[in-house]
Amino acid sequence: NALKSNQIGISGLTQQLVQAHTAIAEKLKKTAGYNRDIRKIWETSIKESETLNDLIQCLLQLELIVYNTQTVNDRLEEDEIIKAKELKRQLMLSEGWSFNDPNEYVNRQARRFFPRYGRSDGKIIAYLPGEINDGIGLWRMIHIDGDEEDLEENDVIKACQDYDYNLLDDDQIIDSETDSSIDEDTDIN
């Protein structure tokens, strides 16, 4: 069988990664560590990939997604999983976290960049007001690989903008003068 032009190069590899994801997606859906948000973030990453390095990052993300589904939660009954999620939510609430915030970053997609790893997409899930945290407001981000980190306001603004503008590396700069979609009130640093 002769290879077709769309089966080689970046497009061919992209196709193979999408097929691999599709092949395991049904089983992943049945696990506690996989949800629609993770799937959408991964699918967006693969669609936006333009280089071999981008595809390598997508493959590493897919590997981490699969790895993170192999937890004790796999063996828990569905109601135990729900209870565990609610317990985590209650713990965060008891620590002062809120699942909405005055700046509306909670529930937004975000993108961070890390040396030697590259980009990592995720979602802002909660806000800790500065009034109860030594004057420093924090936003909790959960990455597609399951890692969590707390971001200060400048970092959360940048992470949300990097995702919104589909920046593929940390060296790209948003030019507000040439981008008419940027609201004049938006603070870009």
Side-chain angles (χ1 to χ4, degrees), residues 90-138:
Q90 291 301 321
L91 177 63
M92 288 180 72
L93 285 169
S94 73
E95 294 171 345
W97 289 93
S98 172
F99 294 97
N100 53 46
D101 73 272
N103 296 316
E104 300 181 4
Y105 299 122
V106 172
N107 292 319
R108 287 191 56 194
Q109 301 297 319
R111 177 170 291 161
R112 300 270 289 154
F113 297 95
F114 300 96
R116 296 187 299 189
Y117 177 76
R119 73 176 187 243
S120 177
D121 291 340
K123 187 175 185 178
I124 307 300
I125 63 156
Y127 168 66
L128 183 65
E131 299 83 50
I132 59 172
N133 190 45
D134 297 326
I136 301 171
L138 295 175

Side-chain angles (χ1 to χ4, degrees), residues 30-184:
K30 297 175 184 175
T31 67
Y34 186 76
N35 60 46
R36 184 174 29 181
D37 288 337
I38 291 173
R39 186 190 81 232
K40 284 183 178 181
I41 291 169
W42 189 85
E43 288 173 349
T44 300
S45 293
I46 195 78
K47 288 176 186 173
E48 295 171 351
S49 294
E50 296 177 350
T51 66
L52 183 58
N53 192 43
D54 292 342
L55 292 175
I56 290 169
Q57 295 303 317
C58 290
L59 182 58
L60 290 172
Q61 287 178 342
L62 184 57
E63 178 185 27
L64 285 169
I65 291 167
V66 172
Y67 177 81
N68 285 330
T69 63
Q70 300 170 345
T71 66
V72 174
N73 289 344
D74 286 345
R75 296 181 287 275
L76 298 176
E77 297 296 324
E78 185 65 28
D79 56 339
E80 291 175 331
I81 294 169
I82 292 169
K83 287 177 187 175
K85 286 181 179 179
E86 183 57 28
L87 183 61
K88 181 175 181 177
R89 182 179 172 86
Q90 291 301 321
L91 177 63
M92 288 180 72
L93 285 169
S94 73
E95 294 171 345
W97 289 93
S98 172
F99 294 97
N100 53 46
D101 73 272
N103 296 316
E104 300 181 4
Y105 299 122
V106 172
N107 292 319
R108 287 191 56 194
Q109 301 297 319
R111 177 170 291 161
R112 300 270 289 154
F113 297 95
F114 300 96
R116 296 187 299 189
Y117 177 76
R119 73 176 187 243
S120 177
D121 291 340
K123 187 175 185 178
I124 307 300
I125 63 156
Y127 168 66
L128 183 65
E131 299 83 50
I132 59 172
N133 190 45
D134 297 326
I136 301 171
L138 295 175
W139 286 262
R140 172 80 41 95
M141 178 178 177
I142 295 185
H143 295 267
I144 192 171
D145 64 6
D147 284 348
E148 296 182 12
E149 71 174 317
D150 297 335
L151 305 174
E152 292 184 19
E153 188 167 19
N154 287 341
D155 293 326
V156 79
I157 290 170
K158 182 173 179 353
C160 290
Q161 288 176 341
D162 287 354
Y163 184 88
D164 290 346
Y165 292 100
N166 190 28
L167 298 187
L168 301 177
D169 63 60
D170 204 23
D171 295 331
Q172 285 182 286
I173 298 172
I174 301 169
D175 184 355
S176 61
E177 292 180 15
T178 60
D179 189 344
S180 61
S181 67
I182 296 178
D183 185 345
E184 291 179 15

Side-chain angles (χ1 to χ4, degrees), residues 6-25:
N6 67 346
Q7 293 177 303
I8 57 175
I10 299 296
S11 64
L13 185 53
T14 301
Q15 220 174 28
Q16 290 296 312
L17 286 173
V18 169
Q19 288 174 356
H21 179 262
T22 302
I24 61 174

